[in-house]
Amino acid sequence: MSERSEVSGLSGTGPSGTNGSAEYVRRAEKLDAADELAPLRGLFTLDDAVYLDGNSLGALAAHVPGRVEDVVRRQWGELRIRSWEESGWWTAPERIGDRIAPLVGAAPGRIVVGDSTSVNVFKALVAAVRIARGEDGGTPADGATAHPVRDEIVVDASTFPSDGYIAASVARMTGCTLRPATPADVPQVVGKRTAAVLLNHVDYRTGRLHDLPALTAAVHAAGALVVWDLCHSAGALPVGLDEHGVDLAVGCTYKFLNGGPGSPAFLYVRGDHQDRFDSPLPGWNSHAEPFGMRGDFEPAEGAPRGRVGTPDILSMLALEAALEVWDGVSVDAVRAKSLALTDFFLECVGAYVPPGLVESLTPAAHAERGSQVALRCAPGIDAGAVMKLLVERGVVGDFRQPDVLRFGFTPLYVGFADAERAARVLAGALTA
């Protein structure tokens, strides 16, 4: 597969007519027939709609309801308190973290599951600042014994709002200045005053994929730490946390990992940072002796330092069940299909949609594309109304103010016929 999509933009000639549509339908059929991931679709509860909103909420794996019923009826209803040990409730945060680890390129023992993405961003960013300054009792991140004052946090200027809110709060709490910057500008922005950098791997609006290896290296060259938000990349493409020396990372599990609405997020701490991870939210679950009920806090070893309070068992075990669909699935194969799907969708949009009605905000280059396509509607077109009409006609995407249509492609259950149908229905909705 080429590094750059053959689609250079949405400059097609508009509706291709019956013969043109038939050509794309035939191509979709051939691509679906050759798709090694196609059988996975049967593992999910889906209807006749084309579901392209997995970048907001993943589809339900068919076996999860039965598993949740067992958790409620047997583990909670019959075993009750015994389930903390007999059903493995107590170790669930680390156990499920180890299931997520290979999907983001992490070794076992480096991910813990629990709390929301926002809470984990807070924990990770405060800890990053403390490590960078040597406030955890260790040597500063840059190795200096007389280190400069690191009083600046750099945040992705296009970040998801919650990340920005939390970064601003952390800056106030730690006496830092908050400095927004585009990811492309980070290598020029970071310096001796930088303590930590918070970046999104994939832009939630446009689907642009940022260069995690290069940006991580640039932050490290400045003696700072980097925190990556993986909400729109975990389960959609290879991440390589260990390989690229990422310091800390967080991600949600209800998008491409299909964990269910509000399923707990995950926190990654690099192996050599774990003894220095100084959580701003120490809780009894992150204590070295959680049942000792001691008045002084002694942090646990390893990933459990990222725990806080009692785990949310119902949603956590639903997530664990959902992750079983990944057994035997290669993230590289998922990435290859994702790129092929988005290429094909963009090509169909270029063929079906009259020129000038939409433009793609998602990069054509594979190295810069996540697993969604964002289309901006031309002035005068009510994007919200267009998406409402799409949903009514069986194509479910989502809308972002003021004019962006987002289509998330989850390769585990979205096929090429789905992509063709979505483009065809979109053309009809835009010209209705």
Side-chain angles (χ1 to χ4, degrees):
M1 187 173 293
S2 64
E3 173 63 19
R4 181 172 291 273
S5 165
E6 294 180 359
V7 180
S8 58
L10 302 182
S11 56
T13 57
S16 56
T18 303
N19 291 336
S21 298
E23 173 193 346
Y24 285 106
V25 169
R26 286 194 297 270
R27 283 181 55 193
E29 291 173 349
K30 290 181 180 179
L31 289 166
D32 281 331
D35 175 20
E36 63 178 294
L37 299 180
L40 296 175
R41 183 185 181 100
L43 300 180
F44 292 88
T45 301
L46 296 164
D47 52 25
D48 292 334
V50 176
Y51 189 65
L52 301 182
D53 209 6
N55 54 331
S56 291
L57 176 64
L60 171 69
H63 68 280
V64 170
R67 193 68 55 81
V68 172
E69 182 177 14
D70 177 73
V71 173
V72 173
R73 292 187 181 277
R74 183 181 65 84
Q75 296 181 32
W76 179 15
E78 297 175 14
L79 296 179
R80 294 179 288 277
I81 196 71
R82 291 161 51 196
S83 277
W84 283 105
E85 291 188 6
E86 294 182 24
S87 300
W89 287 3
W90 183 257
T91 57
E94 294 84 58
R95 183 177 71 245
I96 302 171
D98 284 347
R99 294 210 67 153
I100 293 173
L103 303 181
V104 292
R110 296 188 178 173
I111 292 180
V112 65
V113 173
D115 304 312
S116 68
T117 303
S118 298
V119 171
N120 283 322
V121 168
F122 175 75
K123 289 186 283 188
L125 195 53
V126 172
V129 171
R130 289 175 174 175
I131 293 172
R133 290 175 167 176
E135 293 176 351
D136 62 314
T139 302
D142 57 10
T145 53
H147 57 93
V149 176
R150 292 193 176 270
D151 59 359
E152 184 177 84
I153 295 173
V154 176
V155 63
D156 185 340
S158 59
T159 191
F160 188 76
S162 289
D163 285 16
Y165 305 153
I166 290 167
S169 178
V170 171
R172 292 193 300 272
M173 291 173 58
T174 57
C176 286
T177 298
L178 189 67
R179 185 172 184 181
T182 66
D185 289 338
V186 163
Q188 290 74 47
V189 167
V190 292
K192 292 183 178 180
R193 302 187 73 96
T194 309
V197 180
L198 174 61
L199 295 170
N200 288 266
H201 197 190
V202 175
D203 187 296
Y204 78 100
R205 292 186 186 88
T206 67
R208 177 178 291 275
L209 172 66
H210 298 302
D211 191 341
L212 180 147
L215 290 171
T216 297
V219 173
H220 289 169
L225 274 70
V226 64
V227 178
W228 283 95
D229 183 328
L230 308 179
C231 284
H232 287 269
S233 59
L237 51 92
V239 178
L241 292 177
D242 287 349
E243 176 186 357
H244 302 303
V246 169
D247 299 297
L248 300 113
V250 301
C252 69
T253 61
Y254 49 79
K255 299 185 192 311
F256 294 107
L257 295 178
N258 310 298
S263 56
F266 64 89
L267 169 68
Y268 164 89
V269 183
R270 201 173 79 189
D272 59 345
H273 286 327
Q274 290 189 352
D275 288 344
R276 302 185 61 188
F277 181 81
D278 184 9
S279 175
L281 293 174
W284 78 285
N285 259 235
S286 57
H287 200 287
E289 298 180 34
F291 293 98
M293 303 303 170
R294 289 161 38 192
D296 60 314
F297 181 74
E298 179 186 348
E301 295 291 329
R305 285 191 178 202
R307 295 174 65 154
V308 183
T310 306
D312 186 346
I313 291 300
L314 297 183
S315 60
M316 192 168 288
L317 297 188
L319 166 63
E320 183 174 34
L323 290 170
E324 291 178 9
V325 301
W326 286 94
D327 290 347
V329 176
S330 161
V331 178
D332 288 332
V334 168
R335 175 60 169 164
K337 182 179 176 182
S338 165
L339 293 171
L341 278 169
T342 49
D343 278 350
F344 185 63
F345 176 70
L346 285 167
E347 185 177 351
C348 290
V349 170
Y352 292 167
V353 176
L357 298 187
V358 294
E359 64 171 327
S360 177
L361 300 179
T362 304
H366 286 175
E368 300 175 0
R369 188 194 309 168
S371 199
Q372 74 175 50
V373 172
L375 302 178
R376 173 175 285 158
C377 292
I381 296 178
D382 185 339
V386 170
M387 183 53 69
K388 182 178 180 180
L389 188 56
L390 281 171
V391 172
E392 291 173 354
R393 295 180 178 183
V395 175
V396 182
D398 71 6
F399 158 67
R400 286 291 180 267
Q401 294 282 359
D403 53 10
V404 177
L405 305 172
R406 296 195 319 167
F407 302 93
F409 288 82
T410 304
L412 299 185
Y413 54 76
V414 174
F416 293 90
D418 295 323
E420 185 278 332
R421 178 182 164 194
R424 184 159 30 90
V425 173
L426 173 63
L430 287 166
T431 56

